[in-house]
């Protein structure tokens, strides 16, 4: 298995080099040269595996022997041993044809832990093998930061710098990131939005001298491992529901920001999982919904919403989808991405739009509807949705046909977003790990959203162990 760039100007590389490269050196994103195909018989044989066994099977298609089997198994075991549920991602039936896939049982109570617990262990493994330091530079809309820090803290040879949008994350998200007292962890609160942070990160990674000098590594979903680890639970959920009922195919409703999680579902489908509709759920930052309805991808004006982890205008993984929509033609991707840079939008043809609408359904959820969905499900079923999951559930209600079965991805625990839950006049009890955060001291620096300022901090944090 080799990996290539969506823009075609990186020579083929293997799995570990793909992990280390993060953003492709030509500014594109790395994708598998050929998506592995899982036959119906093979799927059947995978249906009774535990989460960890399933992860091993799926990862093996991509890791391609670069990590010996026993070591890969150990990495997987270690990564999911920190989860509070033995099933890792349990599935709950909420209504007759609607299930939720609970992805929030990891250390920081959001789905990012599923990939980042593994990536943290993988980075540590690679650092030990190569003797090279791992210096992580990432941006977060709120959940990735805490999750990445939790995934690597205390691991030898690893330092981490995370940019988050100052004042635009929930209190619990901010506390989770900033209460870690460790000299190898730096939190920069930028005066700007997540899009500013993500743009800075991409620009710094594109500066290959800087990237190589400081051994910069990515934890955002530009890193293919994030996508890979997230494909596993689509399989897991399908197998779970299939045990309960006759199932030809299954829909997924996915709360979306950077298009990473839903792209993982798209990849699972391309590998052979019988997925019907992939429903893209957005909040008021609804560029992806607009694209799926009209074929025009055009970022608009940023809005702060009740679901801050989805407050994203420029979805970095969109380029991965574009690559497949354009029949894996890197020069067409390059042309469109360059046009996007100069004109601020991408427009696809009528024929391509038809394909987009075969691949995805979409629904944008406004704040009032989000809170109403939380209230309704709490009153009718006793299940408390977090505001991101509520967007997913509202999109399920809008896009799913009555005779179809749908799994909504529950991307975070409601305790992370009590600001929104309180607005629904619902009182929740915090898990112990969250309530204890409120007594801890915070460590962060507020900085301008300017490349030079970030580089200054990056050099300070990463230089003394860089050789
Ligand atoms: C990150 C995040 C999302 C969006 O996921 P993408 O992969 O960026 O589309 C949705 N919900 C929560 C709670 C998140 O943390």
């Amino acid at each position: 298995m080799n990996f290539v760039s969506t823009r075609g100007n990186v020579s083929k590389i293997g799995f570990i080099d793909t992990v280390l490269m993060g953003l492709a050196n030509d500014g594109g994103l790395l994708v598998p040269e050929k998506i592995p195909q899982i036959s119906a018989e093979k799927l059947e044989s995978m249906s009774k595996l535990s989460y960890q066994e399933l992860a091993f099977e799926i990862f093996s298609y991509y890791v391609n022997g670069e990590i010996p089997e026993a070591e890969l198994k150990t990495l997987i075991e270690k990564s999911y041993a920190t989860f509070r549920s033995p099933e890792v991602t349990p599935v709950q039936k909420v209504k007759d044809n609607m299930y939720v896939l609970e992805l929030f049982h990891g250390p920081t109570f959001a789905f990012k832990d599923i990939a980042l617990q593994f990536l943290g262990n993988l980075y540590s493994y690679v650092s030990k093998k190569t003797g090279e330091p791992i210096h992580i530079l990432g941006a977060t809309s709120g959940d990735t930061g805490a999750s990445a820090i939790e995934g690597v803290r205390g691991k030898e040879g690893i330092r981490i710098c995370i940019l988050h949008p100052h004042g635009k994350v929930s209190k619990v998200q901010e506390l989770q990131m900033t209460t870690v007292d460790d000299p190898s962890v730096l939190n920069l609160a930028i005066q700007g939005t997540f899009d500013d942070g993500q743009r800075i990160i991409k620009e710094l990674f594109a500066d290959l001298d800087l990237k190589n000098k400081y051994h910069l590594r990515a934890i955002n979903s530009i890193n293919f491992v994030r996508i890979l680890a997230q494909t596993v639970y689509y399989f897991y959920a399908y197998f779970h529901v299939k045990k309960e009922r006759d199932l030809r195919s299954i829909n997924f409703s996915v709360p979306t920001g950077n298009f990473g999680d839903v792209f993982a579902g798209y990849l699972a489908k391309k590998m052979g999982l019988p997925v019907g509709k992939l429903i893209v759920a957005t909040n008021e930052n609804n560029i992806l919904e607009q694209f799926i309805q009209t074929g025009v991808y055009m970022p608009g004006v940023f809005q702060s919403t009740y679901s801050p982890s989805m407050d994203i205008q420029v979805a970095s993984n969109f380029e991965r989808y574009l690559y497949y929509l354009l029949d894996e033609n890197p020069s067409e991707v390059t042309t469109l991405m360059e046009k996007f840079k100069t004109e601020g939008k991408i427009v696809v043809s009528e024929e391509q739009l038809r394909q987009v609408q075969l691949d995805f359904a979409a629904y944008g959820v406004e704040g009032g509807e989000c809170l109403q969905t939380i209230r309704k499900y709490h009153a009718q079923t006793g299940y408390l949705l977090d505001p991101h999951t509520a967007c997913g559930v509202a999109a399920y209600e809008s896009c799913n046909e009555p005779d179809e079965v749908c799994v909504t991805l529950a991307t975070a625990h409601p305790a992370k977003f009590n600001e929104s839950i309180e607005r629904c006049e619902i009182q929740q009890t915090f898990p112990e790990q969250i309530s204890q955060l409120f007594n801890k001291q915070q460590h962060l620096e507020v900085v301008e959203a300017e490349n030079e300022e970030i580089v200054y901090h990056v050099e300070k944090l990463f230089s003394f162990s860089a050789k």
Side-chain angles (χ1 to χ4, degrees):
M1 160 80 67
N2 287 309
F3 293 82
V4 295
S5 166
T6 50
R7 301 201 192 167
N9 283 317
V10 172
S11 45
K12 293 174 191 176
I13 51 176
F15 177 75
I16 290 184
D17 285 334
T18 297
V19 177
L20 293 178
M21 191 177 285
L23 183 71
N25 282 348
D26 61 359
L29 294 176
L30 295 162
V31 288
E33 188 179 26
K34 216 167 150 273
I35 295 176
Q37 300 298 303
I38 304 182
S39 67
E41 301 79 65
K42 177 72 184 171
L43 269 182
E44 180 60 36
S45 78
M46 287 160 81
S47 67
K48 291 186 186 65
L49 300 181
S50 70
Y51 189 92
Q52 290 85 341
E53 290 166 338
L54 191 57
F56 175 77
E57 287 290 325
I58 292 171
F59 290 1
S60 295
Y61 285 101
Y62 295 87
V63 172
N64 208 22
E66 287 179 47
I67 303 172
E69 282 194 8
E71 293 178 31
L72 181 58
K73 279 188 181 153
T74 307
L75 285 174
I76 292 170
E77 284 299 328
K78 215 166 139 183
S79 302
Y80 299 110
T82 55
F83 279 61
R84 293 176 300 279
S85 164
E87 290 174 85
V88 185
T89 61
V91 180
Q92 306 278 358
K93 186 171 178 175
V94 174
K95 268 185 23 183
D96 188 45
N97 68 345
M98 200 276 272
Y99 296 75
V100 296
L101 173 60
E102 293 183 341
L103 303 174
F104 51 71
H105 296 284
T108 70
F109 294 82
F111 84 90
K112 307 296 201 294
D113 289 331
I114 291 170
L116 289 169
Q117 282 288 303
F118 178 72
L119 185 54
N121 286 317
L122 182 60
Y123 272 147
S124 173
Y125 170 86
V126 172
S127 176
K128 276 191 197 117
K129 288 248 147 148
T130 61
E132 301 240 327
I134 298 280
H135 289 158
I136 295 167
L137 179 61
T140 183
S141 58
D143 289 322
T144 294
S147 190
I149 291 169
E150 196 57 46
V152 301
R153 62 189 288 190
K155 292 195 166 84
E156 208 186 308
I158 306 188
R159 282 161 198 266
I160 180 167
C161 173
I162 296 290
L163 277 53
H164 74 265
H166 186 44
K168 293 189 172 68
V169 299
S170 82
K171 191 69 206 168
V172 169
Q173 288 181 317
E174 183 183 295
L175 288 169
Q176 282 182 328
M177 281 185 275
T178 60
T179 54
V180 176
D181 184 9
D182 184 325
S184 63
V185 175
L186 176 65
N187 280 287
L188 298 178
I190 60 166
Q191 273 160 337
T193 64
F194 169 76
D195 292 301
D196 296 320
Q198 176 150 270
R199 178 184 42 76
I200 294 171
I201 299 295
K202 283 185 94 170
E203 286 173 5
L204 299 190
F205 273 96
D207 177 348
L208 297 185
D209 291 336
L210 187 86
K211 181 177 178 179
N212 294 332
K213 181 172 179 197
Y214 292 110
H215 305 271
L216 300 185
R217 303 296 172 228
I219 43 83
N220 284 102
S221 54
I222 52 177
N223 196 319
F224 182 75
V225 172
R226 284 275 304 269
I227 308 293
L228 175 59
Q230 291 168 199
T231 60
V232 177
Y233 47 70
Y234 285 90
F235 286 87
Y236 189 78
Y238 169 77
F239 293 141
H240 178 98
V241 176
K242 200 166 188 299
K243 269 175 221 149
E244 280 186 14
R245 62 204 293 162
D246 203 27
L247 201 59
R248 202 159 297 148
S249 73
I250 193 164
N251 294 348
F252 286 96
S253 180
V254 188
T256 307
N258 234 340
F259 210 71
D261 210 2
V262 72
F263 184 80
Y266 177 78
L267 183 61
K269 185 175 182 177
K270 282 204 159 255
M271 289 167 75
L273 190 71
V275 176
K277 270 184 216 149
L278 283 166
I279 302 169
V280 169
T282 69
N283 59 27
E284 284 90 337
N285 298 290
N286 65 344
I287 303 87
L288 291 165
E289 182 213 0
Q290 288 302 313
F291 170 71
I292 293 162
Q293 312 293 11
T294 66
V296 180
Y297 178 83
M298 186 171 68
V301 180
F302 171 90
Q303 289 190 58
S304 282
T305 72
Y306 299 133
S307 44
S309 303
M310 288 154 61
D311 290 348
I312 297 175
Q313 292 275 329
V314 184
S316 66
N317 277 286
F318 182 68
E319 181 168 341
R320 284 198 168 103
Y321 174 64
L322 211 51
Y323 177 75
Y324 291 102
L325 183 65
L326 301 174
D327 294 324
E328 305 179 36
N329 182 331
S331 60
E332 279 195 40
V333 175
T334 308
T335 308
L336 272 194
M337 291 311 293
E338 273 165 10
K339 235 173 148 186
F340 179 61
K341 215 170 173 184
T342 53
E343 294 172 15
K345 66 175 178 182
I346 291 173
V347 184
V348 300
S349 70
E350 289 280 315
E351 192 194 335
Q352 285 160 344
L353 179 59
R354 272 194 294 278
Q355 183 60 46
V356 171
Q357 293 175 347
L358 288 175
D359 292 332
F360 301 103
Y363 185 67
V365 184
E366 305 259 313
E369 188 176 7
C370 170
L371 298 188
Q372 193 48 37
T373 306
I374 297 174
R375 280 192 208 100
K376 184 172 103 180
Y377 276 78
H378 187 250
Q380 290 180 357
T381 70
Y383 195 91
L384 184 58
L385 302 164
D386 100 283
H388 305 79
T389 311
C391 290
V393 169
Y396 141 82
E397 290 194 341
S398 162
C399 302
N400 197 70
E401 300 298 330
D403 62 342
E404 297 170 342
V405 176
C406 185
V407 173
T408 298
L409 273 53
T411 50
H413 190 287
K416 291 196 92 165
F417 303 98
N418 199 42
E419 292 90 340
S420 305
I421 303 299
E422 275 182 334
R423 281 176 188 269
C424 300
E425 290 171 0
I426 295 171
Q427 285 222 341
Q428 62 175 328
T429 1
F430 282 172
E432 171 60 27
Q433 299 92 322
I434 288 184
S435 47
Q436 69 187 10
L437 291 170
F438 290 86
N439 311 319
K440 292 191 180 163
Q441 205 193 334
Q442 290 184 245
H443 307 267
L444 79 163
E445 287 204 44
V446 181
V447 299
E448 297 286 328
E450 299 288 345
N451 293 24
E452 303 74 49
E453 191 149 353
I454 307 305
V455 169
Y456 167 79
H457 285 282
V458 160
E459 292 189 328
K460 216 164 75 174
L461 179 69
F462 295 155
S463 57
F464 78 87
S465 61
K467 297 268 157 54

